[in-house]
Coordinates of all heavy atoms in Angstrom, one line a residue:
Q1 N 59.0 23.6 100.3 CA 60.1 23.0 101.1 C 60.5 24.0 102.2 O 60.5 25.2 102.0 CB 61.2 22.9 100.1 CG 62.4 22.4 100.7 CD 63.7 22.3 99.7 OE1 63.5 22.5 98.5 NE2 64.8 21.9 100.2
M2 N 60.7 23.4 103.4 CA 61.1 24.2 104.5 C 62.5 24.7 104.4 O 63.5 24.0 103.9 CB 61.0 23.3 105.8 CG 61.1 24.0 107.0 SD 60.6 22.9 108.4 CE 62.1 22.6 109.0
K3 N 62.8 25.9 104.6 CA 64.0 26.5 104.4 C 64.8 26.7 105.7 O 65.7 27.5 105.8 CB 63.8 27.9 103.8 CG 63.4 27.8 102.3 CD 63.5 29.1 101.6 CE 63.2 29.0 100.2 NZ 63.7 29.9 99.3
S4 N 64.5 25.9 106.7 CA 65.2 26.0 107.9 C 66.2 24.9 108.1 O 66.0 23.8 107.8 CB 64.3 25.9 109.2 OG 65.1 25.8 110.3
F5 N 67.5 25.3 108.3 CA 68.6 24.5 108.6 C 68.9 24.4 110.0 O 70.1 24.0 110.4 CB 69.8 24.9 107.8 CG 69.6 25.0 106.3 CD1 69.2 26.2 105.7 CD2 69.6 23.8 105.6 CE1 69.0 26.2 104.3 CE2 69.4 23.9 104.2 CZ 69.2 25.0 103.5
A6 N 68.0 24.7 110.9 CA 68.3 24.8 112.3 C 68.9 23.5 112.9 O 69.8 23.6 113.7 CB 67.0 25.2 113.1
K7 N 68.3 22.3 112.6 CA 68.9 21.1 113.2 C 70.2 20.8 112.6 O 71.1 20.5 113.6 CB 67.9 19.9 112.8 CG 68.2 18.7 113.5 CD 66.9 17.8 113.4 CE 66.9 16.8 114.6 NZ 66.1 17.3 115.7
V8 N 70.5 21.1 111.5 CA 71.9 20.9 111.0 C 72.9 21.8 111.7 O 74.0 21.5 112.1 CB 72.0 21.0 109.4 CG1 73.5 21.0 108.9 CG2 71.2 20.0 108.8
I9 N 72.4 23.1 111.7 CA 73.3 24.1 112.4 C 73.4 23.7 113.8 O 74.6 23.8 114.3 CB 72.6 25.5 112.4 CG1 72.5 26.0 110.9 CG2 73.1 26.5 113.4 CD1 71.7 27.3 110.7
D10 N 72.5 23.2 114.5 CA 72.7 22.8 116.0 C 73.7 21.6 116.1 O 74.6 21.7 116.9 CB 71.4 22.2 116.5 CG 70.4 23.3 116.9 OD1 70.8 24.5 117.0 OD2 69.2 23.0 117.0
Y11 N 73.7 20.7 115.2 CA 74.8 19.5 115.0 C 76.0 20.1 114.8 O 77.0 19.7 115.4 CB 74.3 18.6 114.1 CG 73.1 17.7 114.4 CD1 72.2 17.4 113.6 CD2 73.0 17.0 115.6 CE1 71.0 16.6 113.9 CE2 71.9 16.3 116.1 CZ 71.0 16.0 115.0 OH 69.9 15.2 115.4
L12 N 76.2 21.1 113.8 CA 77.5 21.6 113.6 C 78.1 22.4 114.7 O 79.2 22.3 115.0 CB 77.5 22.5 112.3 CG 77.1 21.7 111.1 CD1 77.1 22.7 109.9 CD2 78.2 20.7 110.8
E13 N 77.2 23.1 115.4 CA 77.7 23.9 116.6 C 78.1 23.0 117.7 O 79.1 23.3 118.4 CB 76.5 24.9 116.9 CG 76.3 26.1 116.2 CD 75.0 26.9 116.5 OE1 74.2 26.3 117.3 OE2 75.0 28.0 116.0
L14 N 77.4 21.9 117.9 CA 77.7 21.0 118.9 C 79.1 20.3 118.6 O 79.9 20.2 119.4 CB 76.6 19.9 118.9 CG 76.9 18.8 120.1 CD1 76.9 19.4 121.4 CD2 75.8 17.7 119.9
Y15 N 79.3 20.0 117.3 CA 80.5 19.4 116.9 C 81.7 20.4 117.2 O 82.8 20.0 117.7 CB 80.5 19.0 115.4 CG 81.8 18.5 114.9 CD1 82.1 17.2 115.1 CD2 82.7 19.3 114.3 CE1 83.4 16.8 114.5 CE2 83.9 18.9 113.8 CZ 84.3 17.6 114.0 OH 85.5 17.2 113.5
L16 N 81.4 21.6 116.8 CA 82.5 22.6 117.0 C 82.8 23.0 118.4 O 83.8 23.4 118.7 CB 82.1 23.9 116.1 CG 82.2 23.8 114.7 CD1 81.6 25.0 114.1 CD2 83.8 23.7 114.3
S17 N 81.8 22.7 119.3 CA 82.2 22.9 120.8 C 83.2 22.0 121.2 O 84.1 22.2 122.1 CB 80.9 22.7 121.5 OG 80.5 21.4 121.5
A18 N 83.4 20.8 120.5 CA 84.4 19.8 120.9 C 85.6 19.9 119.9 O 86.7 19.4 120.3 CB 83.7 18.3 120.8
H19 N 85.4 20.5 118.8 CA 86.5 20.5 117.8 C 86.5 22.0 117.3 O 86.2 22.3 116.0 CB 86.3 19.6 116.6 CG 86.2 18.2 117.2 ND1 85.0 17.6 117.4 CD2 87.1 17.2 117.4 CE1 85.0 16.4 117.8 NE2 86.4 16.0 117.7
P20 N 86.9 23.1 118.1 CA 86.7 24.4 117.8 C 87.6 24.9 116.5 O 87.2 26.0 116.0 CB 87.0 25.1 119.0 CG 88.0 24.2 119.8 CD 87.4 22.8 119.4
D21 N 88.6 24.2 116.2 CA 89.4 24.7 115.0 C 89.2 23.8 113.7 O 90.1 23.8 112.8 CB 90.9 24.5 115.4 CG 91.2 25.5 116.5 OD1 90.4 26.4 116.7 OD2 92.3 25.2 117.3
D22 N 88.1 23.1 113.6 CA 87.9 22.4 112.3 C 87.3 23.4 111.2 O 86.1 23.8 111.2 CB 86.8 21.3 112.6 CG 86.6 20.4 111.5 OD1 86.8 20.9 110.3 OD2 86.4 19.2 111.7
C23 N 88.1 23.9 110.4 CA 87.8 24.9 109.4 C 86.8 24.5 108.5 O 85.9 25.1 108.0 CB 89.0 25.3 108.7 SG 90.2 26.3 109.7
S24 N 86.8 23.2 108.1 CA 85.8 22.6 107.1 C 84.5 22.7 107.6 O 83.4 23.0 107.0 CB 86.1 21.3 106.6 OG 86.1 20.3 107.6
V25 N 84.2 22.3 108.9 CA 82.9 22.4 109.6 C 82.6 23.9 109.9 O 81.4 24.2 109.7 CB 83.0 21.6 110.8 CG1 81.6 21.7 111.7 CG2 83.2 20.0 110.5
M26 N 83.5 24.7 110.3 CA 83.2 26.0 110.3 C 82.7 26.7 109.1 O 81.8 27.4 109.1 CB 84.4 26.8 110.9 CG 84.8 26.7 112.4 SD 85.9 27.8 112.9 CE 87.5 27.1 112.4
F27 N 83.3 26.3 108.0 CA 82.8 26.8 106.7 C 81.5 26.4 106.4 O 80.6 27.2 106.0 CB 83.9 26.5 105.5 CG 83.5 27.2 104.2 CD1 83.8 28.4 104.0 CD2 82.8 26.4 103.4 CE1 83.4 29.1 102.8 CE2 82.3 27.0 102.2 CZ 82.7 28.3 101.9
A28 N 81.1 25.1 106.6 CA 79.8 24.7 106.3 C 78.8 25.4 107.3 O 77.8 25.8 106.7 CB 79.7 23.2 106.6
L29 N 79.1 25.6 108.4 CA 78.2 26.4 109.4 C 78.0 27.9 108.9 O 77.0 28.4 108.8 CB 78.8 26.4 110.8 CG 77.9 27.1 111.8 CD1 76.5 26.5 111.9 CD2 78.6 27.0 113.2
A30 N 79.1 28.4 108.4 CA 79.1 29.8 108.0 C 78.2 29.9 106.7 O 77.4 30.8 106.5 CB 80.5 30.4 107.5
A31 N 78.3 28.9 105.8 CA 77.4 28.9 104.6 C 76.1 28.6 105.0 O 75.1 29.4 104.4 CB 77.8 27.7 103.7
L32 N 75.7 27.9 105.9 CA 74.2 27.7 106.4 C 73.8 29.0 107.1 O 72.6 29.3 106.8 CB 74.2 26.5 107.4 CG 74.3 25.2 106.8 CD1 74.3 24.0 107.8 CD2 73.2 24.9 105.8
Y33 N 74.7 29.6 107.8 CA 74.1 31.0 108.4 C 73.8 31.9 107.3 O 72.8 32.7 107.4 CB 75.3 31.5 109.3 CG 75.4 31.0 110.7 CD1 76.7 30.9 111.3 CD2 74.3 30.5 111.4 CE1 76.8 30.4 112.5 CE2 74.4 30.0 112.6 CZ 75.6 30.0 113.3 OH 75.7 29.5 114.6
V34 N 74.5 32.0 106.2 CA 74.1 32.8 105.0 C 72.8 32.4 104.6 O 71.9 33.3 104.3 CB 75.2 32.8 103.9 CG1 74.7 33.5 102.7 CG2 76.6 33.3 104.4
K35 N 72.6 31.2 104.3 CA 71.2 30.7 103.9 C 70.1 31.1 104.7 O 69.1 31.4 104.4 CB 71.2 29.2 103.6 CG 72.0 28.8 102.5 CD 72.0 27.4 102.1 CE 72.7 26.9 100.9 NZ 72.4 27.5 99.8
E36 N 70.4 31.2 106.1 CA 69.4 31.6 107.1 C 69.3 33.1 107.4 O 68.7 33.6 108.2 CB 69.8 30.7 108.5 CG 69.5 29.4 108.5 CD 67.9 29.0 108.5 OE1 67.4 29.3 109.5 OE2 67.5 28.4 107.4
E37 N 70.2 33.8 106.5 CA 70.4 35.2 106.7 C 70.8 35.7 108.0 O 70.5 36.7 108.6 CB 69.1 35.9 106.3 CG 68.7 35.6 104.8 CD 67.4 36.4 104.4 OE1 67.1 37.5 105.0 OE2 66.7 35.9 103.5
K38 N 71.7 34.9 108.6 CA 72.4 35.3 109.9 C 73.8 35.7 109.4 O 74.7 34.9 109.7 CB 72.4 34.1 110.8 CG 71.0 33.5 111.3 CD 71.0 32.3 112.2 CE 69.7 31.9 112.6 NZ 69.7 30.7 113.4
L39 N 73.8 36.8 108.9 CA 75.0 37.3 108.2 C 76.2 37.6 109.2 O 77.3 37.3 109.0 CB 74.8 38.4 107.4 CG 73.9 38.2 106.3 CD1 73.4 39.5 105.4 CD2 74.3 37.1 105.2
E40 N 75.8 38.3 110.4 CA 76.9 38.5 111.4 C 77.5 37.3 111.9 O 78.7 37.2 112.1 CB 76.3 39.5 112.5 CG 76.0 40.8 112.1 CD 77.2 41.6 111.6 OE1 78.3 41.4 112.1 OE2 77.0 42.7 110.8
Q41 N 76.6 36.2 112.2 CA 77.2 35.0 112.7 C 78.2 34.4 111.6 O 79.2 33.8 111.9 CB 76.1 34.0 113.0 CG 75.3 34.3 114.2 CD 74.0 35.1 113.8 OE1 73.9 35.9 113.0 NE2 73.0 34.8 114.6
S42 N 77.7 34.4 110.5 CA 78.5 33.9 109.3 C 79.9 34.7 109.3 O 80.9 34.1 109.1 CB 77.8 33.9 107.9 OG 78.7 33.5 106.9
K43 N 79.8 36.1 109.3 CA 81.0 36.8 109.3 C 82.0 36.5 110.4 O 83.1 36.3 110.2 CB 80.7 38.3 109.4 CG 81.7 39.2 109.2 CD 81.3 40.7 109.4 CE 82.5 41.6 109.4 NZ 82.1 43.0 109.4
N44 N 81.5 36.3 111.6 CA 82.2 35.9 112.7 C 83.1 34.6 112.5 O 84.2 34.5 112.8 CB 81.4 35.8 114.0 CG 81.0 37.2 114.4 OD1 81.5 38.3 114.0 ND2 79.9 37.2 115.3
I45 N 82.3 33.6 112.0 CA 82.9 32.3 111.7 C 84.1 32.5 110.7 O 85.1 31.8 110.8 CB 81.9 31.2 111.4 CG1 81.1 30.9 112.7 CG2 82.6 29.9 110.9 CD1 80.1 30.0 112.6
L46 N 83.6 33.1 109.5 CA 84.6 33.3 108.5 C 85.9 34.0 108.9 O 87.0 33.6 108.5 CB 83.9 33.9 107.3 CG 82.9 33.2 106.7 CD1 82.0 34.1 105.7 CD2 83.4 32.0 105.9
T47 N 85.7 34.9 109.8 CA 86.9 35.7 110.3 C 87.7 34.8 111.2 O 89.0 34.8 111.0 CB 86.4 36.8 111.2 OG1 85.7 37.7 110.3 CG2 87.6 37.6 111.7
K48 N 87.1 33.8 111.8 CA 87.9 33.0 112.7 C 88.7 32.0 111.8 O 89.7 31.6 112.0 CB 86.9 32.2 113.6 CG 87.6 31.1 114.5 CD 86.7 30.6 115.6 CE 87.6 29.5 116.4 NZ 86.7 28.8 117.3
I49 N 87.9 31.5 110.7 CA 88.6 30.6 109.8 C 89.8 31.3 109.3 O 91.0 30.7 109.1 CB 87.7 30.2 108.7 CG1 86.6 29.3 109.1 CG2 88.4 29.5 107.5 CD1 85.4 29.1 108.1
L50 N 89.8 32.6 108.9 CA 90.9 33.3 108.2 C 92.0 33.5 109.2 O 93.1 33.6 108.8 CB 90.4 34.5 107.6 CG 89.5 34.2 106.3 CD1 88.9 35.5 105.7 CD2 90.4 33.5 105.2
K51 N 91.7 33.6 110.5 CA 92.7 33.7 111.5 C 93.4 32.4 111.6 O 94.7 32.5 111.9 CB 92.2 34.0 112.9 CG 91.7 35.5 113.1 CD 91.1 35.8 114.4 CE 90.6 37.3 114.4 NZ 89.8 37.5 115.7
L52 N 92.9 31.2 111.4 CA 93.6 30.0 111.4 C 94.2 29.6 110.1 O 95.2 28.9 110.0 CB 92.5 28.9 111.8 CG 91.8 28.9 113.1 CD1 90.7 28.0 113.2 CD2 92.9 28.7 114.2
D53 N 93.6 30.2 109.0 CA 94.1 29.7 107.6 C 93.8 31.0 106.7 O 92.8 31.0 106.0 CB 93.4 28.5 107.2 CG 93.8 28.2 105.7 OD1 94.7 28.6 105.3 OD2 93.1 27.3 105.2
F54 N 94.7 31.9 106.8 CA 94.6 33.2 106.0 C 94.5 33.1 104.5 O 94.1 34.0 103.8 CB 95.6 34.2 106.5 CG 97.0 33.9 106.0 CD1 97.5 34.4 104.9 CD2 97.9 33.2 106.8 CE1 98.9 34.1 104.4 CE2 99.1 32.8 106.4 CZ 99.6 33.3 105.2
K55 N 94.9 31.9 104.1 CA 94.8 31.7 102.5 C 93.7 30.9 102.0 O 93.6 30.5 101.0 CB 96.1 30.9 102.1 CG 97.4 31.8 102.3 CD 98.5 31.0 101.7 CE 99.8 31.9 101.9 NZ 101.0 31.2 101.3
N56 N 92.6 30.6 103.0 CA 91.5 29.8 102.6 C 90.7 30.7 101.6 O 89.8 31.5 102.0 CB 90.7 29.5 103.9 CG 89.5 28.6 103.7 OD1 88.8 28.7 102.8 ND2 89.5 27.7 104.6
E57 N 90.7 30.2 100.3 CA 90.1 31.0 99.3 C 88.5 31.0 99.4 O 87.8 32.0 99.2 CB 90.5 30.5 98.0 CG 91.9 30.8 97.6 CD 92.1 32.2 97.3 OE1 91.2 33.0 96.8 OE2 93.3 32.8 97.7
D58 N 88.0 29.8 99.8 CA 86.5 29.7 100.0 C 86.0 30.7 101.1 O 85.0 31.3 100.9 CB 86.1 28.3 100.4 CG 86.4 27.4 99.2 OD1 86.3 27.8 98.0 OD2 86.7 26.1 99.5
A59 N 86.8 30.8 102.1 CA 86.4 31.6 103.3 C 86.5 33.1 102.8 O 85.6 33.9 103.2 CB 87.3 31.4 104.5
I60 N 87.5 33.4 102.1 CA 87.8 34.7 101.7 C 86.6 35.3 100.7 O 86.0 36.3 100.8 CB 89.1 34.9 100.8 CG1 90.4 34.8 101.9 CG2 89.2 36.2 100.1 CD1 91.7 34.6 101.1
N61 N 86.3 34.4 99.8 CA 85.2 34.7 98.8 C 83.9 34.7 99.5 O 83.0 35.7 99.2 CB 85.1 33.6 97.7 CG 86.4 33.6 96.9 OD1 86.9 34.6 96.7 ND2 86.7 32.5 96.2
L62 N 83.5 33.8 100.4 CA 82.2 33.9 101.1 C 82.3 35.1 102.0 O 81.1 35.9 102.2 CB 82.0 32.6 101.9 CG 80.5 32.6 102.6 CD1 79.4 32.8 101.5 CD2 80.5 31.3 103.3
L63 N 83.3 35.5 102.7 CA 83.4 36.6 103.5 C 83.1 37.9 102.7 O 82.3 38.8 103.1 CB 84.7 36.9 104.3 CG 84.8 38.0 105.2 CD1 83.7 37.9 106.3 CD2 86.2 38.0 105.9
E64 N 83.6 38.0 101.5 CA 83.3 39.2 100.6 C 81.9 39.3 100.4 O 81.3 40.3 100.4 CB 84.3 39.1 99.4 CG 85.7 39.3 99.6 CD 86.5 39.1 98.4 OE1 85.9 38.6 97.3 OE2 87.8 39.3 98.4
E65 N 81.3 38.2 100.0 CA 79.8 38.1 99.7 C 79.1 38.5 100.9 O 78.1 39.3 100.8 CB 79.4 36.8 99.2 CG 78.0 36.6 99.0 CD 77.6 35.2 98.6 OE1 78.4 34.4 98.1 OE2 76.4 34.8 98.9
V66 N 79.3 38.0 102.0 CA 78.6 38.3 103.3 C 78.8 39.8 103.6 O 77.8 40.5 104.0 CB 79.2 37.4 104.5 CG1 78.7 38.0 105.8 CG2 78.8 36.0 104.3
E67 N 80.0 40.4 103.5 CA 80.2 41.8 103.8 C 79.3 42.7 102.9 O 78.8 43.7 103.2 CB 81.7 42.1 103.9 CG 82.3 41.6 105.0 CD 83.8 41.8 105.1 OE1 84.4 42.0 104.0 OE2 84.4 41.8 106.1
R68 N 79.2 42.3 101.6 CA 78.4 43.0 100.5 C 77.0 42.9 101.0 O 76.3 43.9 100.9 CB 78.6 42.5 99.2 CG 79.7 43.0 98.4 CD 79.7 42.6 96.9 NE 79.4 41.1 96.7 CZ 80.4 40.3 96.6 NH1 81.6 40.7 96.6 NH2 80.1 39.1 96.2
N69 N 76.6 41.8 101.5 CA 75.1 41.7 101.8 C 74.8 42.4 103.1 O 73.8 43.1 103.2 CB 74.8 40.2 102.1 CG 74.7 39.4 100.7 OD1 74.5 40.0 99.7 ND2 74.8 38.2 100.8
I70 N 75.7 42.5 104.0 CA 75.6 43.3 105.2 C 75.5 44.7 104.9 O 74.6 45.4 105.4 CB 76.7 43.0 106.3 CG1 76.5 41.7 106.8 CG2 76.7 44.0 107.4 CD1 77.7 41.2 107.7
K71 N 76.3 45.2 104.0 CA 76.3 46.6 103.5 C 75.0 46.9 102.9 O 74.4 48.0 103.2 CB 77.6 46.8 102.6 CG 77.7 48.3 102.2 CD 78.9 48.5 101.3 CE 79.0 49.9 100.8 NZ 80.0 50.2 100.0
C72 N 74.5 46.1 102.0 CA 73.3 46.3 101.3 C 72.2 46.4 102.3 O 71.2 47.2 102.1 CB 73.1 45.2 100.3 SG 74.1 45.3 98.8
K73 N 72.1 45.6 103.2 CA 70.9 45.6 104.3 C 71.0 46.9 105.1 O 70.0 47.4 105.5 CB 71.1 44.4 105.1 CG 70.6 43.2 104.5 CD 70.5 42.1 105.5 CE 70.0 40.8 104.8 NZ 68.7 40.4 105.2
K74 N 72.3 47.5 105.3 CA 72.3 48.7 106.0 C 71.9 49.9 105.2 O 71.5 51.0 105.8 CB 73.7 48.9 106.6 CG 74.1 47.9 107.7 CD 75.4 48.1 108.2 CE 75.8 47.1 109.3 NZ 77.1 47.3 109.9
E75 N 71.9 49.8 104.0 CA 71.7 51.0 103.0 C 70.2 51.2 102.9 O 69.3 50.3 103.0 CB 72.4 50.9 101.6 CG 73.8 51.0 101.9 CD 74.6 50.8 100.5 OE1 74.0 50.3 99.6 OE2 75.7 51.1 100.5

C-alpha cells in the first residue's frame, strides 16, 4: 500500500487557502503531516489551531506527541 497522502494534503492546503481558520481541516492536515513524518509542519498547524482554540484537546494531545517525536529525532 502506498503511504503517501500527498494528494489529500494538497486538497486540504487548497481548502485552507480559502478558509484559513477552519480548525477541523487544519487538524486533519496536521495529522496527515504526522503520518508523512513532516513534524515541523504539523507542529506549526497545531500551534495555529491552539491560538484560535486554546482548549482544543485533540490539538493539545497531538502537539504533545509531535513535540516528543521531534525531540526523539534530535537525540
Side-chain angles (χ1 to χ4, degrees):
Q1 180 181 357
M2 195 168 102
K3 292 194 174 206
S4 175
F5 298 99
K7 193 160 205 92
V8 177
I9 288 171
D10 287 344
Y11 288 131
L12 294 178
E13 289 173 341
L14 181 61
Y15 176 85
L16 286 172
S17 68
H19 306 90
D21 294 336
D22 188 327
C23 289
S24 61
V25 173
M26 282 192 281
F27 184 80
L29 182 58
L32 287 174
Y33 279 151
V34 171
K35 291 187 179 292
E36 291 282 296
E37 296 186 23
K38 296 178 177 179
L39 300 177
E40 289 296 333
Q41 291 96 319
S42 181
K43 180 179 176 179
N44 291 339
I45 290 180
L46 293 166
T47 301
K48 183 176 179 184
I49 292 170
L50 291 172
K51 285 179 182 174
L52 296 169
D53 177 11
F54 69 94
K55 293 183 180 182
N56 186 313
E57 290 292 325
D58 292 330
I60 291 167
N61 293 334
L62 187 55
L63 181 57
E64 288 173 359
E65 179 185 330
V66 165
E67 288 177 335
R68 275 194 308 271
N69 289 338
I70 289 171
K71 184 179 177 185
C72 287
K73 286 187 177 250
K74 289 182 179 178
E75 292 177 348

